[in-house]
Amino acid sequence: MLIDKLNNALFVVNPVSGKLSIKKKISLIKSVVQNNNSKIVVTRSPEESIEKSKDAMLNDRLVIACGGDGLQNMVAEQAIKTGGTMAVFPMGRGNDFAASLNVKNATDVKEALVSGIVHKARYLKVEFDEYTKVCLTCAGVGLLSEAAFRASKIPILKGSLLYAVATLLSFINLHNHDYQLLIGGKEKEDSFLIIAGAASPYTGGGMFIAPEAFKEDGNVNLLSAKKVKRLQAVKLLSQVFSGTHINNSNVINSHVSGFEINTQSTHTWARLVYGDGEYLGNLPVKINIGQDPLNVLVPSSGNQ
């Protein structure tokens, strides 16, 4: 029963995500879980977060990921593998997966825990030659990767402002790369600013990169921007905040069952694949929608 899971839930806390102190994070959690036997664990490493989440789910315990997209990705992967159930408590600098579920603060978390609504969340299956990763938001190459890397090196800012600044820094030496994009057995080779597959609408701390991500449930929302000059790129960036970039003549917005990306470029940034704000691997890569269920508790307003 759900009430039993709530009474024995595990809150996994990333101590370094976002800008809140550990004390403030624990205070917020306690404001949500008054008078029950839930346990709060502040983990010391990604490996510990994964291990604690896996063990809890194998014992039929609800796990709440208290951090940003990186931690929620780790917990989600264990939920998929074990068939367990998770919830999210946004405490990172981006919180894009939580935003896609309409979970933005402690009140939303409490509503999700009380509602008992289990949502089958969409996610990407990102396949490399030797391993497979999960991505909850969007994954891709080009400007997406460079901006995500630069954002990880900026300690002060958060949210969409952080990623906007990181993207603008990437424009100083703007790079378009030659990629081979394979869709349904047909290959397209061209110079691109960005290629990204999206399972949910947001990236970069609230940038509305994929407003039509939920349009076709079984398909990936594939977005790409052709080679552009610096001023055109700045215009594209300004449009991403409202989602109007999908109407830009330089952008292709489509829904596909899956796709592959490769490159012959030797440029440092060209081969890097990023997702959920993290480095996932190097090209070549295959991206499609994951088929195994990802069970996430959501407030009634987050049941997409």
Side-chain angles (χ1 to χ4, degrees):
M1 295 178 63
L2 179 62
I3 188 65
D4 296 327
K5 287 193 175 185
L6 291 180
N7 285 332
N8 195 30
L10 177 66
F11 287 78
V12 177
V13 183
N14 181 351
V16 298
S17 65
K19 300 179 71 174
L20 297 177
S21 66
I22 295 176
K23 182 178 179 180
K24 179 63 175 177
K25 290 175 182 177
I26 292 176
S27 175
L28 281 172
I29 293 169
K30 288 183 175 179
S31 73
V32 168
V33 293
Q34 299 169 354
N35 303 319
N36 67 33
N37 296 318
S38 296
K39 184 176 181 181
I40 301 171
V41 174
V42 179
T43 56
R44 294 162 292 184
S45 67
E47 292 76 17
E48 185 180 7
S49 298
I50 291 169
E51 180 184 357
K52 295 290 186 182
S53 300
K54 179 180 179 180
D55 288 348
M57 289 176 179
L58 287 174
N59 285 286
D60 200 30
R61 296 175 66 188
L62 172 69
V63 177
I64 299 93
C66 307
D69 293 313
L71 175 66
Q72 289 158 19
N73 179 295
M74 295 176 204
V75 175
E77 189 164 6
Q78 299 313 307
I80 293 164
K81 288 180 177 178
T82 64
T85 302
M86 68 177 290
V88 297
F89 204 138
M91 294 182 174
R93 293 204 290 169
N95 305 314
D96 293 307
F97 180 57
S100 75
L101 303 171
N102 285 326
V103 179
K104 299 176 182 177
N105 51 45
T107 301
D108 295 333
V109 176
K110 188 169 185 178
E111 184 185 341
L113 297 178
V114 172
S115 76
I117 298 173
V118 178
H119 172 56
K120 305 296 183 184
R122 282 163 49 92
Y123 63 94
L124 299 176
K125 183 179 179 183
V126 186
E127 299 180 77
F128 299 95
D129 286 342
E130 298 181 356
Y131 59 91
T132 298
K133 301 286 286 186
V134 164
C135 178
L136 304 175
T137 56
C138 73
V141 295
L143 184 61
L144 175 76
S145 294
E146 186 170 352
F149 172 81
R150 294 188 185 282
S152 70
K153 303 301 180 182
I154 300 174
I156 300 173
L157 304 176
K158 62 180 291 187
S160 58
L161 178 60
L162 166 65
Y163 284 86
V165 170
T167 304
L168 288 171
L169 290 174
S170 302
F171 288 167
I172 295 173
N173 293 300
L174 184 65
H175 300 293
N176 295 275
H177 304 291
D178 293 335
Y179 290 108
Q180 295 84 48
L181 183 58
L182 186 65
I183 307 171
K186 296 182 179 180
E187 183 177 292
K188 177 181 180 180
E189 186 167 358
D190 209 335
S191 185
F192 292 92
L193 176 68
I194 186 173
I195 303 174
S200 55
Y202 303 104
T203 195
M207 290 185 175
F208 202 19
I209 191 171
E212 296 184 347
F214 295 141
K215 185 177 179 180
E216 297 184 17
D217 189 55
N219 288 335
V220 183
N221 190 181
L222 171 60
L223 299 116
S224 61
K226 295 181 289 184
K227 181 178 180 178
V228 295
K229 296 180 180 179
R230 190 173 288 107
L231 287 178
Q232 293 172 308
V234 172
K235 180 179 180 180
L236 269 175
L237 174 62
S238 68
Q239 293 174 329
V240 169
F241 291 97
S242 61
T244 56
H245 63 289
I246 63 171
N247 300 316
N248 188 295
S249 60
N250 292 303
V251 173
I252 299 173
N253 174 46
S254 61
H255 292 78
V256 298
S257 59
F259 62 95
E260 301 178 31
I261 313 172
N262 204 354
T263 186
Q264 303 304 315
S265 174
T266 58
H267 195 284
T268 303
W269 294 111
R271 305 193 69 87
L272 304 182
V273 181
Y274 269 69
D276 294 344
E278 306 286 339
Y279 168 73
L280 301 181
N282 286 357
L283 295 180
V285 68
K286 298 178 182 178
I287 299 177
N288 51 49
I289 293 293
Q291 298 303 309
D292 294 325
L294 170 55
N295 301 315
V296 187
L297 287 182
V298 295
S300 56
S301 59
N303 192 16
Q304 296 285 345

